Amino acid sequence: MFQGKWALVTGAGSGIGRAFAEILAERGAKLILVDQDETALGLVAAELSRPDSEVLTRRVDVGSRSEMIALGEWVHERTPALDLLVNNAGVIELGGALDTSWDAWERLLRVNLWGVIHGVKVFVPAMRERRRGAVLNIASASGIVGLPTIAAYSTTKFAVVGLSTTLHGELLPHGVHVTCVCPGLVHTNLGKQPHWSRNEREQIDGLLSQRGLDPHEVVRAALAGVQKNQTFVHVGGAARLIGWAARLIPASAPR
């Protein structure tokens, strides 16, 4: 399905984004990898580049409208439209709604929500015009049932779930399918926030390493969901249970 197709992945320098890059490369996709960390992007590109592959990288802040518009112009010089858009870039912050600082709220909204909106606004019109393609939005189980210990993160992921739901209905008649992925805990470096205390980083890293899903498991489930035209993919036992409860009792969580 992905052989020779153009796929763009945000947050591709590590974690789930890097796993997307690795698996899509294995499946023969032409890759456009985006991240704020140029060094990490370079390492991923070096690992994946082969004589028969195409791996392009670009440093972009997905929360910046101007940078994303410029990225779109750069991409569309190379292909009229993407075949797969993976809106994956994300950041997290610990704390309840009242404890989370103004700056942290703004940062999470810029990256986790506006990053997805920018990707949709910049790349989906060309996909819709061509009447084919897929959009993969990476949300979270905490976007189905809110967690007070990560209030801002949950809020942004609820918004991504809502955007994906409405976008699915909007684009389906135009041949573009939207899949929203809601994994449980994933073993990534999301918890390595430089402004956190050492104790906070160690606690989160310990939790993710012991109980987190392998990012490649999340990616395989997500891509299988795209191939099956699924609207939602819940990865991990806890996420599947939450998704099941949301369908059973719609008032308890968004579906």
Side-chain angles (χ1 to χ4, degrees), residues 87-90 108-117 120 135-140 142-144 152-168 178-183 231-232 254-255:
N87 287 311
N88 164 74
L108 265 70
L109 286 166
R110 277 186 88 254
V111 176
N112 296 1
L113 179 54
W114 273 108
V116 177
I117 294 171
V120 167
V135 179
L136 253 176
N137 293 331
I138 309 303
S140 167
S142 66
I144 302 172
Y153 182 79
S154 284
T155 298
T156 60
K157 295 304 182 179
F158 263 89
V160 170
V161 169
L163 173 60
S164 300
T165 303
T166 57
L167 195 62
H168 168 78
V178 178
T179 297
C180 184
V181 184
C182 297
T231 308
F232 281 89
R255 174 72 172 87

Side-chain angles (χ1 to χ4, degrees), residues 58-76:
R58 189 170 172 109
R59 184 200 174 281
V60 177
D61 173 5
V62 298
S64 166
R65 183 188 305 180
S66 61
E67 290 190 26
M68 286 294 284
I69 290 173
L71 172 66
E73 293 170 350
W74 182 78
V75 167
H76 290 139

Side-chain angles (χ1 to χ4, degrees), residues 82-230:
L82 295 173
D83 299 290
L84 176 65
L85 168 64
V86 183
N87 287 311
N88 164 74
V91 292
I92 195 170
E93 189 69 39
L94 299 176
L98 301 182
D99 300 324
T100 302
S101 69
W102 292 104
D103 288 345
W105 269 107
E106 185 173 349
R107 176 168 168 259
L108 265 70
L109 286 166
R110 277 186 88 254
V111 176
N112 296 1
L113 179 54
W114 273 108
V116 177
I117 294 171
H118 289 151
V120 167
K121 291 282 285 180
V122 168
F123 294 108
V124 170
M127 299 166 76
R128 180 180 60 183
E129 183 176 345
R130 197 175 57 170
R131 300 189 67 83
R132 72 173 187 266
V135 179
L136 253 176
N137 293 331
I138 309 303
S140 167
S142 66
I144 302 172
V145 174
L147 300 177
T149 53
I150 48 172
Y153 182 79
S154 284
T155 298
T156 60
K157 295 304 182 179
F158 263 89
V160 170
V161 169
L163 173 60
S164 300
T165 303
T166 57
L167 195 62
H168 168 78
E170 181 179 345
L171 295 178
L172 193 59
H174 301 281
V176 179
H177 198 89
V178 178
T179 297
C180 184
V181 184
C182 297
L185 291 172
V186 183
H187 188 194
T188 69
N189 64 358
L190 197 63
K192 292 182 171 65
Q193 304 297 319
H195 59 285
W196 287 0
S197 70
R198 179 178 177 181
N199 183 54
E200 287 174 326
R201 290 196 298 270
E202 288 178 349
Q203 284 184 340
I204 297 299
D205 284 345
L207 177 65
L208 294 180
S209 62
Q210 292 172 21
R211 299 178 57 186
L213 299 163
D214 184 330
H216 296 82
E217 179 183 349
V218 176
V219 171
R220 291 188 187 97
L223 295 178
V226 171
Q227 291 178 299
K228 296 173 185 176
N229 287 333
Q230 289 178 248

Side-chain angles (χ1 to χ4, degrees), residues 9-22:
V9 182
T10 68
S14 62
I16 295 174
R18 179 169 184 149
F20 265 112
E22 292 170 350

